C-alpha cells in the first residue's frame, strides 16, 4: 500500500464518494457542519464515528485555495511559544493525527525537526522554553559546530539563540482534509460541496439551514466556517479580523540542499521586524500539489480583508519582504520567485482560538473559529472536541481558556 499517495490520487479516490453523497438528502440530520475545511472535515469525521447522521456543507470544493488551508504544509510543534495552555491539546492532536494516519493508511505528518532562531529575550525563545520546561517537551540548543555541519545554509547573528525541537515537523493540510473527508463519508456522513450556507436559525429545538441550493433541518449545529465565521455568528462578528497572508515558493541556489529529508522546518524572530518568519523544506509537487520550491512566510498580520473580496494580485511588497529575509538569513535560498499565494488568517484580539457554544442556542450550536494563523496542527483534536460538545455538552480537553466570553460582549 502506498502510504504517501499524491494529492491528485486522493482527489481521484474521493471524488466519486463526494459525488454520490451530493445526491443524498434526508429530512432531518442529527448534526450539520457549516464549512468542511480544516476543522469541519475533522468534525464530520468524529461526529460520524459516533454514529450520528451528519451533513457537512462546503461552499467550495474540498480542498480549495480561497480559505485558510491551502499551500501543501503546516508546521506542527509541541513546545508552544504562544502559551503553555496549548501543550496538552497538542499532545492529544499528535495522537489523533497518528490515529488518522493508521486508519486512512496515509502519511500526513512528516517529522523534519524545527529550528528556532531569535534573541534570548524574544517571545519566541522565551515562550518555547517555558512550554518545553512545563511539559517536558524535548528541545535542545544547536551548537555552532552542528550549525556549520547540518544547517550551514543559515546565517544566524551571533546574539541569536539556536534551538531545535526534534519531534516537530509538518502536516499536509489538503491531504489531511481529504483523509478526514474520505473517512467521514465511509462512516456514513453526507458532504455537499459548492453549496453556500446563507443563513441559519433555531425554531424550537430544530435548526433550519438555508443554503443557495436547499433548506435543511438538524438537531445540532457545528460552525467551522473559518474566515467566514463572522458572517454566520453575530456574537463574534466584530471580534474576528480576517487578514490576507502572502506566502512564497522560491527557487534556491542548490535545490537538493533544501529537500524534505535533508532540510528542517524553521522559525525566526527577526529583532528588526515584527512577528516571526517561518519556512519548510521543499516538497515535490507531484505528491503534495502546488509547486516545488522553498516555501516561506511571515507570521504577522497582513492587510485586513473581506474573505469574499480578497485582492490576491498586489503582492510585490510581501515578495520583497520574503526575499530580503532570505538574503539576510538564508542567502542560498533565493535565485528567483516561483510563486506567491494568498491565504487567510482569522485573528481574535488575543490570538487565542474560540471554541465554545454559540450563545442563545441552549448549547445546541458550537463553533470553532479565530485560529489566528496557528490552528491547523490542532484540527485533529478540534474535531474530537466538537463531537464531545455536541454529544456530551462538555469535553475532557482543557479548553476553558478558549471560551468566547473572554472577548467581551458584542460591540
Ligand atoms: C499562510 C498560512 C500559514 C499557516 N501556517 C500554519 C502553520 O504552520 N501551522 C498551523 O498550525 N497553522 C497554520 N496556519 C493556520 C491554519 O491553516 C488555520 O488556522 C486553519 O486552516 C483554520 O481552519 P478553519 O477550519 O478555521 O478554516 P478553513 O480551513 O478555511 O475552513 C473553513 C471552511 O468553511 C467554508 N465555509 C465558510 N463559510 C461557508 C458558508 N457560508 N457555506 C459553506 N461553507 C463555508 C470555507 O469555504 C472553508 O472551506 C496558517 C494559515 C495560513 C493562511
Amino acid at each position: 500500500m502506498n502510504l504517501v499517495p499524491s494529492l491528485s490520487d486522493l482527489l481521484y479516490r474521493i471524488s466519486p464518494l463526494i459525488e454520490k453523497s451530493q445526491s443524498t438528502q434526508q429530512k432531518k440530520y442529527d448534526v450539520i457542519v457549516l464549512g468542511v475545511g480544516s476543522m469541519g472535515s475533522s468534525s464530520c469525521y468524529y461526529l460520524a464515528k459516533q454514529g450520528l447522521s451528519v451533513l457537512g456543507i462546503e461552499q467550495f470544493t474540498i480542498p480549495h485555495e480561497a480559505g485558510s488551508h491551502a499551500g501543501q504544509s503546516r508546521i506542527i510543534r509541541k513546545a508552544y511559544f504562544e502559551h503553555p495552555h496549548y501543550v496538552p491539546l497538542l499532545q492529544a492532536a499528535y495522537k489523533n493525527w497518528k490515529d488518522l494516519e493508521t486508519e486512512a493508511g496515509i502519511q500526513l505528518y512528516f517529522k523534519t525537526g524545527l529550528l528556532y532562531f531569535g534573541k534570548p529575550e524574544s517571545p519566541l525563545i522565551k515562550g518555547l522554553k517555558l512550554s518545553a520546561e512545563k511539559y517536558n517537551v524535548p528541545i535542545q540548543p544547536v551548537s555552532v559546530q552542528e550549525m556549520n555541519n547540518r544547517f550551514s545554509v543559515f546565517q544566524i547573528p551571533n546574539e541569536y539563540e539556536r534551538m531545535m525541537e526534534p519531534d516537530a515537523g509538518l502536516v499536509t493540510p489538503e491531504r489531511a482534509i481529504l483523509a478526514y473527508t474520505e473517512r467521514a463519508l465511509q462512516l456514513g456522513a453526507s458532504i455537499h460541496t459548492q453549496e453556500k450556507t446563507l443563513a441559519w436559525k433555531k425554531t424550537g429545538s430544530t435548526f433550519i439551514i438555508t443554503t443557495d441550493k436547499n433548506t435543511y433541518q438538524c438537531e445540532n449545529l457545528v460552525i467551522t466556517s473559518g474566515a467566514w465565521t463572522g458572517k454566520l455568528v453575530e456574537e463574534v462578528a466584530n471580534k474576528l479580523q480576517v487578514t490576507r497572508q502572502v506566502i512564497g515558493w522560491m527557487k534556491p541556489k542548490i535545490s537538493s540542499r533544501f529537500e524534505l529529508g535533508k532540510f528542517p522546518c524553521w522559525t525566526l524572530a527577526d529583532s528588526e521586524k515584527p512577528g516571526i518568519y517561518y519556512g519548510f523544506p521543499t516538497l515535490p509537487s507531484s505528491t503534495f500539489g502546488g509547486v516545488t520550491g522553498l516555501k516561506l512566510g511571515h507570521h504577522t498580520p497582513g492587510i485586513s480583508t473581506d474573505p469574499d473580496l480578497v485582492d490576491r494580485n498586489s503582492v510585490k511588497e510581501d515578495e520583497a519582504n520574503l526575499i530580503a529575509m532570505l538574503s539576510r538569513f538564508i542567502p542560498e535560498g533565493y535565485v528567483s520567485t516561483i510563486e506567491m499565494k494568498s491565504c487567510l488568517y482569522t485573528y481574535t484580539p488575543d490570538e487565542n482560538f474560540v471554541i465554545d457554544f454559540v450563545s442563545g442556542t441552549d448549547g445546541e450550536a458550537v463553533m470553532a473559529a479565530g485560529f489566528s494563523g496557528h490552528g491547523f496542527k490542532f484540527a485533529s483534536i478540534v474535531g474530537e472536541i466538537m463531537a464531545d460538545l455536541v454529544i456530551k455538552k462538555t469535553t475532557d480537553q482543557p479548553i476553558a481558556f478558549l471560551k468566547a466570553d473572554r472577548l467581551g460582549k458584542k460591540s
Side-chain angles (χ1 to χ4, degrees):
M1 187 172 181
N2 176 14
L3 291 181
V4 195
S6 69
L7 184 59
S8 49
D9 283 349
L10 285 173
L11 279 166
Y12 183 74
R13 201 161 112 177
I14 292 159
S15 295
L17 296 177
I18 293 185
E19 213 166 292
K20 191 168 162 223
S21 154
Q22 302 275 27
S23 55
T24 60
Q25 195 178 326
Q26 61 190 62
K27 208 159 176 285
K28 194 171 181 182
Y29 294 87
D30 291 331
V31 55
I32 291 182
V33 177
L34 303 183
V36 187
S38 320
M39 310 303 161
S41 60
S42 165
S43 301
C44 287
Y45 163 75
Y46 277 101
L47 289 158
K49 201 172 177 178
Q50 293 298 321
L52 272 65
S53 63
V54 179
L55 170 64
I57 305 175
E58 169 54 48
Q59 64 183 335
F60 301 125
T61 54
I62 300 175
H64 63 84
E65 297 204 336
S68 303
H69 58 251
Q72 300 173 325
S73 52
R74 294 290 186 266
I75 291 175
I76 178 164
R77 54 196 159 86
K78 267 191 216 154
Y80 221 58
F81 64 81
E82 288 86 343
H83 202 288
H85 282 345
Y86 285 100
V87 182
L89 292 172
L90 285 161
Q91 288 164 335
Y94 263 76
K95 179 192 171 294
N96 286 2
W97 285 123
K98 182 101 217 119
D99 289 350
L100 176 63
E101 287 186 317
T102 307
E103 199 173 311
I106 300 170
Q107 185 179 1
L108 301 165
Y109 162 64
F110 295 80
K111 183 174 158 174
T112 64
L114 173 62
L115 285 168
Y116 296 84
F117 302 120
K119 288 195 172 173
E121 66 276 19
S122 65
L124 175 71
I125 298 295
K126 276 169 69 178
L128 163 77
K129 289 182 178 172
L130 184 70
S131 282
E133 201 176 324
K134 182 153 188 202
Y135 287 100
N136 278 323
V137 182
I139 55 168
Q140 61 215 33
V142 185
S143 66
V144 173
Q145 197 184 8
E146 204 178 359
M147 283 304 296
N148 292 340
N149 293 341
R150 278 178 73 194
F151 308 122
S152 60
V153 295
F154 290 98
Q155 286 191 2
I156 303 299
N158 289 336
E159 67 273 24
Y160 280 30
E161 278 202 43
R162 306 151 172 83
M163 301 294 295
M164 164 62 90
E165 182 178 342
D167 293 339
L170 63 92
V171 281
T172 59
E174 294 93 341
R175 294 166 75 258
I177 288 170
L178 284 170
Y180 270 135
T181 303
E182 180 180 48
R183 286 299 300 132
L185 288 162
Q186 288 167 343
L187 290 163
S190 295
I191 293 185
H192 293 184
T193 57
Q194 291 172 308
E195 180 164 349
K196 190 176 176 77
T197 302
L198 301 176
W200 62 270
K201 66 176 180 195
K202 191 165 183 248
T203 308
S205 62
T206 301
F207 288 96
I208 315 281
I209 316 300
T210 310
T211 73
D212 56 359
K213 292 190 180 158
N214 223 322
T215 302
Y216 305 96
Q217 294 186 12
C218 59
E219 299 277 341
N220 294 275
L221 191 62
V222 169
I223 302 176
T224 46
S225 308
W228 288 263
T229 304
K231 297 191 181 212
L232 290 171
V233 186
E234 210 202 331
E235 78 179 275
V236 290
N238 296 324
K239 310 292 180 196
L240 301 179
Q241 184 200 7
V242 178
T243 60
R244 183 195 75 165
Q245 304 296 137
V246 179
I247 24 180
W249 281 260
M250 310 307 191
K251 179 174 160 46
K253 284 187 184 139
I254 304 171
S255 299
S256 59
R257 300 194 70 181
F258 294 90
E259 286 168 358
L260 180 66
K262 296 182 191 158
F263 186 71
C265 290
W266 56 271
T267 53
L268 184 146
D270 178 356
S271 56
E272 293 173 20
K273 298 267 186 175
I276 288 160
Y277 291 94
Y278 61 91
F280 300 83
T282 56
L283 302 177
S285 60
S286 54
T287 301
F288 297 93
V291 294
T292 306
L294 185 64
K295 178 185 164 188
L296 77 161
H298 190 187
H299 179 70
T300 194
I303 52 173
S304 285
T305 183
D306 179 308
D308 291 314
L309 304 168
V310 182
D311 170 8
R312 294 177 193 271
N313 295 318
S314 15
V315 297
K316 278 281 157 221
E317 232 176 85
D318 299 271
E319 182 182 359
N321 173 29
L322 297 182
I323 295 170
M325 186 279 158
L326 285 174
S327 76
R328 285 180 61 211
F329 299 105
I330 318 178
E332 280 195 38
Y334 190 77
V335 173
S336 58
T337 303
I338 301 171
E339 187 166 47
M340 302 294 295
K341 271 194 182 168
S342 302
C343 196
L344 303 177
Y345 277 6
T346 308
Y347 276 107
T348 61
D350 62 9
E351 299 185 23
N352 292 310
F353 317 151
V354 176
I355 300 184
D356 205 350
F357 296 103
V358 177
S359 60
T361 64
D362 305 317
E364 281 161 0
V366 289
M367 63 179 151
F371 287 92
S372 305
H374 60 110
F376 193 83
K377 62 183 85 60
F378 296 88
S380 60
I381 186 62
V382 170
E384 186 183 328
I385 293 169
M386 293 286 99
D388 282 348
L389 295 181
V390 166
I391 296 163
K392 300 190 283 184
K393 306 295 171 204
T394 184
T395 180
D396 293 338
Q397 297 298 334
I399 57 164
F401 73 110
L402 303 175
K403 285 179 85 65
D405 61 7
R406 75 176 194 278
L407 304 176
K409 295 216 175 317
K410 70 178 185 218
S411 45

